[in-house]
């Protein structure tokens, strides 16, 4: 049975996790790197059976190579194609799926083989459930499962793929770093503080974390109304601001419904709290159970070093 | 008169997007009616998002559970029956409740719980509100995520059922033709006046608790208009009552308010407010005690008690030992989920320091210094404290008979005073309705097509909100909305 | 420009009722605009100039949603729904798009509700495509789009016809009022069926049902060793693409 997999790679995100998931299906796993040669070289050390490199030209976005990647995929005819949920990866995956006439499934957490079929388990109902989907034919999946650290003692040689100049239909003009003062409502990162913080002087910790993360600061209603540590325009929750950052780090926030309704659309929610029963642990993506006074200083240095 | 031309016509228009309005809209839309819901605020939810639990009798949740251990004087061997509930409302109101409305509520409340469960609400508990409150019945169905979560689910259910929800769209006027409702005039979010035709209109705008003018005019607690502290940002300004009066509605038991004590300029979850709500030593502006502070067992009764004091000013006085007790051992009485029973008020010291610095609470190293800082007559206040400490030592309060277990002396410096204020949460009824929630005129005849539900409607209360049946406001909101909609459906469909 | 704004193509995942045994009940739940759909209309209105925005939706729910936000008319594939296989859903949308001549841009919400549909549609149309678009503008006849790349943003120039997946970075501003909503319901609607598009409701992909995940949705990290905890967190955040 053909269980050949292609993993579309535009950066290192989830590369190990996708490799691991595809390997478990039993077939040959190919990394199709669309990007720099250097990226392909580092991917080649992870343990793929084959690494192809579609080297992109300066100033041309990876998406411009979508049709060429799709043609190559069609020639190889993999049973499974994976990409991470980065916007570039998803677009390339769509192109390959169309060319292969493959089934497309998003938010896939797990993959398995059942007889002649692949069973993809995708996250549904707002992450509360997994749905098992039986796919008899070719499958293109956006992989959202656990990442795994991968490495191999025997790097494979990178195969440079012939790439044609994609022309000028798409070109990069500039990259703009996030403005520090994007404002709470549109900020990509937000640090939220609750009354788990013991005193106003400790807000220095939150200031430092926000600075290290290039984040805006927000707070719960009691922090504003009862402690008066922040003005009301920093309050997130019902009757106050609703925010949708990429990353929300909740420090010392218990997770009252009033507050949680304001961060419902945040992409990734991290909670730091020392109460294992804190409600927020039911409503976050990552929960660090521990003393915020010990955890936050480490978070600050972690973000300073590689955030 | 030429028939009015409408911008749009619906079967039913619901005015107000809180719990009662959404329940009405959902019921009608599920029955196939064409429904618009008008909400004047930018978000629906009304007072319901601040509600915690829901009152019901003989619900499936009560049937599935063991009766909680007896907590008070009442030996509750079973969950309250419909009959228990019925008697409670009639007795508590001194027969000012409308038996038809009470009957409607106790008979239909259990279905409310089942409907909420079908929407995805999970009840974590059926209990009382203030633990150890001897008079409460176990009617309080506590949803996971409190009523804020219930309102979210209800809104999604309304949208899915096809209700047209228009926010920032206040209703201004009920349109009448030949003595019957023919629609509503509203102003949309862009300022356009909209004439909306409707076969029935359900008023669900939450009463008049946030209108000082109407509190002054209608309530026996009219003085609150001058010194009420608004602790939640609701905007219940009596729109429904005013519109109903314009078209000939009559009132009944008008003027009851649900009043809760809250530290002035703080929230109900503030630990300083929680401490101030405890049965510690309370004095008013005269520097004297005025009641058994044990009244704090019922927030509604203690709200009324505070509202009666000069300028609504109450100082909750406690010493360093009591601060330590509240921080380390927790509260002596609970305030629902705002301040749970035995909740450790861990933020109390930080809040007190903050509040003292801001001038909204006071501190003194001596009783005299505290009196001076508050602005009380030091001699009178010192005498009050001395008498109170004496009562604490004897374990007997000869003045107001407060139970010995709440007699905590004020002896160890530093001493603190928290400024407690009465806060109107919502008004309790106003528009007279019959058992179908139809608004009735001066002749007690139903005005065709007009309904009032939730806190807009009279029928359950006398002069005060009944906290002995906790969750009543919320349970009644959902139940009355649904029952009104059912009557409207029947009438419109000619069944 | 002639723009097709694809809206309301899925149900709100928060609307599904989760049963005690891990079942998922969609009874009574209609298709809903997603959180990114307002951004679709914002981007469309920003680049349409003197052209036309055509709303395109599938299934039940509020057909006039896009019309209330600037679409001149709306197409709806009435008997289509969101399929398990996103390629099938995308094929329906793509087939409807292909009925319209001279389309310069297709814009769809880059919705986490179902990234699969967005990817599949981009692939099937085969046009230059950009996801994560937060804004767009026409400059000297050329289309410039800005997309999120983590905390930075990247400006691209794209030649049409193009597919853009628009991502909201805030709540909808200036939502239409009642009058606009009612007026929108009088705008033209073209009702199509799968048969009109030459499609059969199909797919050989089948759902075997839902279940609770073995691990809780939140990944708990023990903070006893703060250094290790932060290391684990940073690795996870990197995988999620938010660093």
């Amino acid at each position: 049975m053909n269980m050949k997999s292609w993993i579309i790679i535009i950066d290192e995100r989830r590369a190990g996790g996708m490799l691991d998931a595809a390997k478990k299906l039993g077939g040959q796993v190919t990394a199709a790197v669309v990007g720099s040669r250097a990226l392909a070289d580092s991917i080649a050390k992870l343990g793929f059976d084959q690494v192809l490199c579609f080297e992109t030209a300066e100033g041309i976005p990876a998406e411009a190579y979508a049709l060429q990647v799709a043609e190559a995929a069609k020639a190889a005819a993999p049973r499974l194609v994976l990409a991470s949920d980065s916007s570039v990866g998803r677009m390339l995956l769509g192109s390959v799926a169309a060319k292969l006439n493959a089934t497309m499934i998003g938010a896939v957490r797990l993959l398995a083989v059942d007889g002649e079929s692949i069973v993809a388990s995708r996250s549904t109902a707002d992450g509360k459930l997994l749905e098992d989907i039986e796919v008899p034919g070719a499958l293109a999946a956006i992989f959202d499962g656990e990442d795994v650290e991968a490495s191999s003692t025997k790097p494979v040689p990178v195969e440079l793929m012939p790439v044609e100049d994609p022309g000028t239909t798409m070109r990069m003009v500039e990259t703009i770093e996030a403005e520090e003062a994007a404002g709470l409502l549109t900020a990509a990162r937000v640090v939220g503080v609750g009354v788990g913080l013991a005193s106003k002087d400790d807000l220095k910790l939150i200031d430092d974390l926000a600075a290290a993360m290039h984040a805006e600061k927000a707070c719960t209603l009691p922090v504003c109304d009862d402690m008066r540590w922040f003005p009301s325009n920093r309050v997130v929750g019902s009757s106050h601001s609703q925010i949708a950052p990429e990353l929300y780090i909740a420090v010392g926030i218990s997770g009252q419904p009033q507050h949680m309704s304001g961060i419902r659309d945040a992409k990734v929610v991290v909670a730091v709290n020392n109460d294992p029963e804190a409600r927020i642990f039911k409503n976050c993506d990552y929960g660090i159970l521990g003393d915020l006074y010990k955890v936050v200083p480490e978070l600050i240095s972690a973000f300073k070093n590689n955030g | 008169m030429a028939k009015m031309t409408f911008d749009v016509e619906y079967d039913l228009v619901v005015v107000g997007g809180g719990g009662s309005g959404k329940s009405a809209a959902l019921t009608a839309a599920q029955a196939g009616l064409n429904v618009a819901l008008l909400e004047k605020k930018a978000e629906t939810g009304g007072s319901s998002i601040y509600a915690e639990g829901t009152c019901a009798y003989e619900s499936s949740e009560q049937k599935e559970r063991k009766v909680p251990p007896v907590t008070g004087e009442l030996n509750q061997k079973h969950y309250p029956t419909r009959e228990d509930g019925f008697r409670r409302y009639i007795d508590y109101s001194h027969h000012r409740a409308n038996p038809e409305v009470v009957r409607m509520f106790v008979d239909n409340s259990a279905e409310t719980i089942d409907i909420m469960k079908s929407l995805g609400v999970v009840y974590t508990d059926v209990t009382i509100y203030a633990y150890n409150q001897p008079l409460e019945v176990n009617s309080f169905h506590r949803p996971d995520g409190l009523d804020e979560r219930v309102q979210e689910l209800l809104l999604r259910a309304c949208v899915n059922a096809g209700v047209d929800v228009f926010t920032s769209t206040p209703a201004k006027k009920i349109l009448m033709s030949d003595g019957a409702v023919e629609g509503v005039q509203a102003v949309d979010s862009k300022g356009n006046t909209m004439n909306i035709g409707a076969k029935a209109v359900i008023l669900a705008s939450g009463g008049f608790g946030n209108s000082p003018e109407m509190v002054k005019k209608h309530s026996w607690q009219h003085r609150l208009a001058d010194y009420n502290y608004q602790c939640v940002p609701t905007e219940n300004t009596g729109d429904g009552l005013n519109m109903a009066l314009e078209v000939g509605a009559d009132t009944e038991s008008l003027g009851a308010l649900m009043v809760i004590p809250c530290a002035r300029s703080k929230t109900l979850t503030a630990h300083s407010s929680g401490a101030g709500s405890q049965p510690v030593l309370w004095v008013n502006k005269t520097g004297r005690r005025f009641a058994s502070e044990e009244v704090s067992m019922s927030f509604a009764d203690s709200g009324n008690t505070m509202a009666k004091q000069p300028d609504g000013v109450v100082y909750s006085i406690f010493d360093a030992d009591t601060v330590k007790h509240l921080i380390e051992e927790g509260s002596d009485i609970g305030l629902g989920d705002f301040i749970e029973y035995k909740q450790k008020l861990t933020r109390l010291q930080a809040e007190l320091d903050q509040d003292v610095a801001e001038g909204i609470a006071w501190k003194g190293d001596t009783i005299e210094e505290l009196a001076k800082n508050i602005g009380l007559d030091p001699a009178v206040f010192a005498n009050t404290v001395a008498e109170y400490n004496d009562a604490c030592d004897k374990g007997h309060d000869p003045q107001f008979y407060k139970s010995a277990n709440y007699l905590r002396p004020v002896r160890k410096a530093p001493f603190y005073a928290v400024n407690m204020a009465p806060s109107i949460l919502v008004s309790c009824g106003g528009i007279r309705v019959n058992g179908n929630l139809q608004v009735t005129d001066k002749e007690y005849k139903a005005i065709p097509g007009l309904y009032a539900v939730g806190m807009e409607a009279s029928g359950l209360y006398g002069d005060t909100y009944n906290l002995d049946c906790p969750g009543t406001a919320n349970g009644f909101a959902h139940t009355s909305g649904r029952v009104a909609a059912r009557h409207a459906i029947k009438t419109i469909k000619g069944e | 420009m002639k723009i097709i704004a694809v809206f309301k193509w899925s149900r709100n995942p928060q609307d599904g009722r989760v049963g005690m045994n891990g079942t998922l009940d969609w009874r009574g739940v209609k298709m809903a605009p997603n959180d990114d759909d307002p951004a679709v209309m914002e981007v469309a209105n920003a680049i349409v100039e003197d052209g036309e925005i055509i709303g395109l939706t599938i299934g039940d729910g509020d057909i006039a949603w896009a019309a209330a936000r600037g679409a001149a008319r709306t197409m709806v594939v009435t008997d289509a729904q969101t399929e398990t296989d996103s390629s099938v859903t995308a094929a329906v949308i793509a087939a409807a798009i292909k009925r319209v001549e001279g389309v310069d841009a297709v814009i769809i919400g880059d919705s986490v509700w179902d990234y699969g549909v967005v990817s599949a549609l981009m692939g099937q149309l085969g046009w230059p495509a950009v996801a994560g678009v937060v804004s767009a503008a026409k400059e000297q006849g050329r289309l410039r789009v800005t997309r999120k790349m983590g905390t930075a943003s990247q400006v691209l120039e794209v030649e049409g016809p193009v597919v853009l997946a628009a991502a909201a970075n805030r709540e909808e501003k200036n939502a239409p009022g009642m009058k606009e909503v009612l007026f929108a319901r009088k705008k033209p609607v073209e009702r199509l069926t799968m048969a009109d598009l030459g499609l059969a409701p199909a797919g050989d992909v089948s759902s075997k049902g839902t279940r609770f995940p073995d691990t809780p949705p939140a990944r708990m990290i023990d903070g006893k060793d703060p250094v290790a905890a932060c290391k684990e967190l940073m690795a996870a955040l990197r995988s999620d693409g938010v660093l």
Side-chain angles (χ1 to χ4, degrees):
Chain A
M1 186 174 40
N2 166 21
M3 274 298 160
K4 217 158 60 172
S5 303
W6 261 45
I7 317 280
I8 295 173
I9 288 178
I10 53 111
D11 56 28
E12 296 190 13
R13 279 181 49 199
R14 280 205 163 75
M18 292 191 279
L19 169 62
D20 181 64
K23 257 189 180 165
K24 284 180 182 152
L25 302 189
Q28 190 200 38
V29 184
T30 299
V33 178
V34 187
S36 68
R37 176 65 204 261
L39 174 65
D41 285 340
S42 68
I43 293 295
K45 294 174 193 147
L46 299 185
F48 285 92
D49 298 310
Q50 182 187 31
V51 174
L52 312 176
C53 180
F54 300 81
E55 205 176 346
T56 55
E58 185 69 26
I60 304 292
E63 289 100 322
Y65 300 85
L67 286 176
Q68 300 186 45
V69 176
E71 288 294 351
K74 191 180 179 189
R79 174 72 186 274
L80 172 71
V81 189
L82 296 179
S84 77
D85 69 359
S86 75
S87 50
V88 177
R90 285 188 280 126
M91 188 272 153
L92 294 170
L93 182 71
S95 236
V96 171
K99 201 56 97 182
L100 294 177
N101 211 6
T103 289
M104 169 73 79
I105 297 175
V108 170
R109 308 267 311 167
L110 305 164
L111 290 162
V113 175
D114 183 6
E116 295 292 309
S117 294
I118 298 177
V119 177
S121 303
R122 75 162 165 194
S123 170
T124 186
D126 212 20
K128 290 195 273 292
L129 297 176
L130 283 180
E131 181 180 17
D132 299 320
I133 299 163
E134 194 173 330
V135 183
L139 169 65
I142 299 166
F143 185 75
D144 195 29
E146 291 291 308
D147 201 2
V148 175
E149 260 187 59
S151 66
S152 164
T153 46
K154 282 189 288 177
V156 289
V158 172
E159 298 172 40
L160 273 179
M161 299 297 284
V163 172
E164 285 170 30
D165 178 0
T168 57
T169 51
M170 295 182 89
R171 61 181 198 89
M172 275 192 270
V173 179
E174 59 180 332
T175 298
I176 306 164
E177 286 307 319
E179 293 166 48
E180 294 277 319
L184 176 59
L185 294 180
T186 55
R189 291 176 179 177
V190 176
V191 176
V193 58
V195 288
L197 210 68
S199 88
K200 191 174 183 179
D201 298 337
D202 302 338
L203 283 178
K204 176 84 176 58
L205 262 183
I206 303 300
D207 291 342
D208 292 349
L209 178 57
M213 287 172 62
H214 306 290
E216 287 284 341
K217 286 174 288 186
C219 70
T220 62
L221 188 62
V223 166
C224 163
D225 276 13
D226 298 338
M227 312 307 281
R228 298 172 190 259
W229 293 344
F230 282 111
S232 65
N233 60 8
R234 293 278 156 189
V235 178
V236 165
S238 45
S239 305
H240 291 81
S241 297
Q242 318 281 313
I243 57 170
E246 295 279 296
L247 175 60
Y248 183 74
I249 298 194
V251 180
I253 290 177
S254 64
Q256 291 298 317
Q258 197 278 341
H259 181 69
M260 299 314 285
S261 70
I263 57 162
R264 205 170 29 206
D265 298 327
K267 187 174 171 201
V268 174
V269 175
V270 177
V272 181
N273 204 301
N274 61 359
D275 175 9
E277 300 298 314
R279 199 183 159 79
I280 196 161
F281 286 140
K282 289 187 196 163
N283 287 296
C284 66
D285 299 285
Y286 303 102
I288 299 186
L289 177 61
D291 180 354
L292 73 91
Y293 292 95
K294 297 200 175 100
V295 174
V296 172
E298 292 308 324
L299 269 181
I300 292 168
S301 42
F303 272 99
K304 273 188 185 155
N305 293 335
N306 45 78
Chain B
M1 200 176 88
K3 186 106 173 132
M4 177 136 199
T5 50
F6 295 108
D7 293 293
V8 60
E9 293 189 42
Y10 286 94
D11 293 323
L12 172 67
V13 172
V14 179
V15 177
S20 62
K22 289 203 292 286
S23 279
L26 176 64
T27 305
Q30 284 177 336
L33 260 53
N34 196 4
V35 183
L37 186 151
L38 311 179
E39 166 58 48
K40 75 171 173 182
K41 294 189 73 173
E43 303 282 343
T44 60
S47 295
S48 296
I49 54 172
Y50 304 103
E52 302 181 319
T54 304
C55 170
Y57 300 93
E58 301 181 33
S59 74
S60 55
E61 289 289 313
Q62 286 164 323
K63 283 173 190 160
E64 280 165 16
R65 287 166 200 269
K66 275 201 171 139
V67 184
V70 175
T71 53
E73 295 162 7
L74 284 185
N75 194 0
Q76 296 183 38
K77 292 203 174 69
H78 55 79
Y79 278 106
T81 61
R82 293 172 187 201
E83 182 179 339
D84 292 339
F86 185 90
R87 289 182 188 281
R88 283 296 188 116
Y89 294 113
I90 300 290
D91 291 348
Y92 191 89
S93 72
H94 291 158
H95 296 260
R96 290 172 73 178
N98 178 345
E100 254 188 75
V101 174
V102 175
R103 179 96 226 173
M104 178 286 299
F105 176 47
V106 298
D107 283 357
N108 290 283
S109 62
E111 189 189 358
T112 299
I113 300 299
D114 289 337
I115 290 171
M116 294 307 175
K117 282 159 77 176
S118 77
L119 300 181
V121 173
V122 174
Y123 290 97
T124 54
D125 210 357
V126 184
T127 179
I128 61 177
Y129 183 81
Y131 184 80
N132 210 23
Q133 176 9 338
L135 298 174
E136 288 189 41
V137 296
N138 287 296
S139 59
F140 197 58
H141 293 63
R142 192 179 171 284
D144 186 36
L146 305 183
D147 216 56
E148 169 126 21
R149 173 72 182 143
V150 176
Q151 296 307 312
E152 267 179 29
L153 290 167
L154 198 49
L155 175 62
R156 291 302 310 157
C158 282
V159 170
N160 278 315
V163 175
D164 280 342
V165 178
F166 297 106
T167 51
S168 302
T169 307
K172 293 292 179 189
K173 196 172 150 187
I174 300 164
L175 304 172
M176 301 287 288
S177 169
D178 296 332
V181 165
E182 66 162 358
V184 172
Q185 190 176 75
V187 175
D188 83 357
S189 60
K190 304 285 167 75
N192 301 298
T193 296
M194 306 295 296
N195 289 313
I196 308 160
K199 293 169 187 149
V201 170
I202 295 181
L203 299 172
S205 75
F208 59 87
N210 300 128
S211 162
E213 297 75 31
M214 292 178 75
V215 166
K216 182 159 266 177
K217 186 172 169 192
H218 296 305
S219 178
W220 63 272
Q221 291 172 297
H222 51 88
R223 272 191 297 270
L224 266 171
D226 299 325
Y227 47 69
N228 174 60
Y229 164 57
Q230 193 173 336
C231 68
V232 289
T234 48
E235 288 175 30
N236 302 320
T237 51
D239 306 351
L241 176 59
N242 286 333
M243 286 189 281
L245 291 175
E246 272 175 22
V247 298
D250 203 356
T251 62
E252 185 175 75
S253 294
L254 179 57
L257 300 171
M258 188 198 294
V259 184
I260 192 168
C262 186
R264 192 171 281 279
S265 77
K266 309 247 345 188
T267 68
L268 291 168
T269 52
H271 285 186
S272 63
S273 189
S277 305
Q278 297 297 309
V280 293
L281 168 62
W282 295 355
V283 300
N284 62 20
K285 280 185 143 179
T286 68
R288 295 183 179 90
R289 287 179 76 202
F290 51 85
S292 165
E293 296 87 349
E294 202 170 346
V295 68
S296 54
M297 283 278 194
S298 156
F299 78 70
D301 289 342
S302 59
N304 288 349
T305 304
M306 291 192 179
K308 282 196 302 184
Q309 305 314 310
D311 294 333
V313 172
V314 170
Y315 303 106
S316 271
I317 312 290
F318 41 87
D319 69 356
D321 280 339
T322 298
V323 170
K324 189 164 179 268
H325 165 73
L326 293 172
I327 291 173
E328 290 177 2
E329 289 156 58
S331 65
D332 290 327
I333 59 128
L335 265 172
D337 276 86
F338 298 123
I339 299 291
E340 286 173 44
Y341 177 64
K342 290 288 175 207
Q343 179 181 333
K344 294 187 171 91
L345 304 183
T346 50
R347 280 140 46 203
L348 181 56
Q349 191 63 56
E351 277 192 48
L352 286 172
D353 294 345
Q354 178 76 23
D355 293 354
V356 168
E358 265 200 44
I360 57 174
W362 299 274
K363 182 180 176 183
D365 288 326
T366 62
I367 291 296
E368 194 177 46
E369 187 185 295
L370 181 63
K372 267 194 206 145
N373 289 343
I374 304 171
L376 298 175
D377 182 322
V380 173
F381 183 60
N383 190 45
T384 300
V385 173
E387 272 182 21
Y388 184 72
N389 284 344
D390 190 45
C392 294
D393 292 344
K394 291 180 175 138
H396 172 65
D397 169 18
Q399 215 178 349
F400 298 115
Y401 307 108
K402 179 159 78 169
S403 300
N405 53 327
Y406 299 128
L407 288 167
R408 295 185 180 280
V410 183
R411 208 160 256 153
K412 185 171 176 196
F415 306 102
Y416 292 95
V418 172
N419 182 8
M420 297 303 291
S423 179
I424 302 172
L425 283 178
V426 70
S427 62
C428 304
I431 306 173
R432 188 180 58 223
V433 295
N434 62 22
N436 298 320
L437 287 310
Q438 291 174 285
V439 176
T440 53
D441 65 13
K442 306 261 182 298
E443 312 295 322
Y444 286 71
K445 282 205 312 246
I447 298 172
L450 188 61
Y451 301 81
V453 298
M455 293 318 248
E456 206 96 273
S458 290
L460 284 190
Y461 311 108
D463 54 17
T464 295
Y465 180 64
N466 184 349
L467 208 69
D468 290 359
C469 305
T472 290
N474 189 259
F476 182 74
H478 293 299
T479 304
S480 62
R482 183 178 74 254
V483 171
R486 290 229 172 106
H487 189 269
I489 295 160
K490 266 183 148 176
T491 310
I492 290 167
K493 291 187 172 173
E495 285 164 4
Chain C
M1 290 180 75
K2 193 177 217 177
I3 298 169
I4 293 191
V6 185
F7 69 100
K8 187 186 65 63
W9 44 267
S10 150
R11 291 178 294 207
N12 182 341
Q14 292 170 354
D15 283 355
R17 285 181 295 276
V18 175
M20 300 292 263
N21 47 2
T23 53
L24 185 55
D25 178 3
W26 288 109
R27 271 177 306 173
V29 176
K30 292 196 174 113
M31 313 279 273
N34 63 56
D35 299 337
D36 297 296
D37 279 355
V40 169
M41 300 312 296
E42 210 171 296
V43 169
N45 281 302
I47 58 174
V48 64
E49 295 175 325
D50 51 3
E52 182 190 31
I53 302 172
I54 303 162
L56 169 59
T57 184
I58 60 175
D60 54 16
D62 179 10
I63 294 172
W65 188 90
R69 289 160 175 82
R73 61 193 172 96
T74 301
M75 300 161 71
V76 53
V77 187
T78 55
D79 56 349
Q81 56 178 338
T82 314
E83 299 289 338
T84 308
D85 180 351
S86 294
S87 290
V88 176
T89 314
V92 174
I93 296 170
I97 290 168
K98 282 172 187 156
R99 287 172 67 93
V100 183
E101 279 182 29
V103 174
D104 299 297
V106 169
I107 312 177
I108 184 169
D110 200 359
S111 177
V112 69
W113 287 5
D114 198 342
Y115 277 156
V117 172
V118 179
S119 303
L121 181 67
M122 287 180 157
Q124 290 179 23
L125 289 174
W127 301 342
V130 185
V133 172
V134 287
S135 67
K138 286 294 284 287
E139 279 177 32
Q140 285 142 17
R142 293 180 71 91
L143 182 62
R144 278 195 172 194
V145 302
T146 304
R147 71 155 161 216
K148 278 192 294 195
M149 294 289 272
T151 54
S153 45
Q154 200 174 56
V155 183
L156 304 174
E157 228 170 51
V158 195
E159 282 172 27
V162 299
V163 198
L164 305 178
N169 59 4
R170 60 177 301 156
E171 290 253 295
E172 181 174 23
K173 282 185 289 187
N174 199 26
M178 185 176 189
K179 189 170 188 169
E180 291 158 296
V181 168
L182 297 174
F183 178 71
R185 292 182 185 171
K186 294 176 182 148
K187 290 185 180 178
V189 174
E190 185 184 359
R191 286 171 197 279
L192 301 165
T193 61
M194 301 275 278
D196 294 333
L197 300 172
L199 298 168
D204 44 6
V205 169
S206 59
S207 172
K208 293 165 63 171
T210 56
R211 60 188 165 94
F212 287 116
D214 300 332
T215 49
R219 178 159 138 204
M220 293 302 294
I221 301 171
D222 188 351
K224 271 202 201 97
D225 179 349
V227 178
C230 290
K231 195 175 167 215
E232 185 180 342
L233 176 71
M234 297 304 276
L237 294 179
R238 193 165 297 110
S239 297
D240 287 339
V242 292
L243 288 190

